[in-house]
Amino acid sequence: DTDAFVPGPERREALLISVGALDPSKNHAMALRVAALRPAGQDFKVVIVADREMGEHADALRRLARELKVHLDIKVRISRPELIALYGRAMAAVYCPFEEPFGLTALEAMACGTPVLGRREGGLIETIVAGKSGYLYMDDPAPFGERLAEWVRDAALYRKFSDAARQHVTTHWDQSELAQLTATQIEVTFRPDM
């Protein structure tokens, strides 16, 4: 819903957001590892947003954050406006789940003008335009840290990615556009005269 998920303030915070169930398969640890690199000398805070807290995994993430000396905030069951505000404040969404078939989080972030640092597999290959609306890598946090450092150093480059992320979603993934595309495909696929 690109009418609800809209860009936040022009100036972004040293904040990384990771959204998804508190489950190892969502790989929230990658956001902590990227923040631990201190891209461009910045101390990035990591906010994980989840639908529910799963004790053991949440505890493991908190331990990892302490080991890496990264500030971590886990938010559970927040409102949609709170989520949109977090996307709008974040410099990037780190979205690196394993074998994610689609990945709505990436689209929500990009609709808010927040570029995505994502795992190069599954649905993210389709939703993120690598090198334009974000970057796709596998399991090494270093390239993510390098890209984030570039964005910190070059505000114009960051703005280009932010604008491209929003444009990509509004052009290709807006719910009204998808509804029209789906209706057209159904009409062509199931024409009665065939």
Side-chain angles (χ1 to χ4, degrees), residues 108-182:
E108 291 175 346
M110 290 187 297
C112 294
T114 305
V116 180
L117 301 172
R119 195 163 198 274
R120 189 180 57 228
E121 70 172 23
L124 300 183
I125 295 169
E126 185 176 350
T127 57
I128 299 168
V129 181
K132 292 190 178 180
S133 66
Y135 288 101
L136 295 169
Y137 297 106
M138 285 306 278
D139 299 322
D140 181 0
F144 290 124
E146 291 167 12
R147 301 297 75 82
L148 198 54
E150 288 176 355
W151 291 339
V152 169
R153 286 191 304 266
D154 189 340
L157 177 65
Y158 180 78
R159 181 89 256 143
K160 183 177 173 183
F161 272 82
S162 177
D163 292 345
R166 171 76 180 170
Q167 181 65 40
H168 176 64
V169 173
T170 58
T171 302
H172 301 288
W173 296 101
D174 179 81
Q175 61 187 359
S176 61
E177 295 290 325
L178 287 175
Q180 181 60 41
L181 178 62
T182 302

Side-chain angles (χ1 to χ4, degrees), residues 30-92:
M30 181 60 81
L32 296 170
R33 290 187 175 93
V34 172
L37 296 172
R38 309 291 187 278
Q42 297 279 322
D43 281 326
F44 275 86
K45 175 182 178 180
V46 174
V47 176
I48 295 173
V49 178
D51 58 346
R52 64 193 174 283
E53 184 153 340
M54 298 174 68
E56 287 182 23
H57 189 59
D59 292 342
L61 289 168
R62 288 183 182 106
R63 279 193 304 277
L64 179 60
R66 282 192 301 274
E67 289 170 20
L68 297 173
K69 296 180 176 56
V70 171
H71 180 82
L72 170 64
D73 187 5
I74 297 176
K75 296 184 177 290
V76 179
R77 289 185 298 276
I78 64 173
S79 70
R80 188 177 190 195
E82 289 174 296
L83 175 61
I84 292 167
L86 279 170
Y87 279 133
R89 289 176 28 220
M91 175 72 72

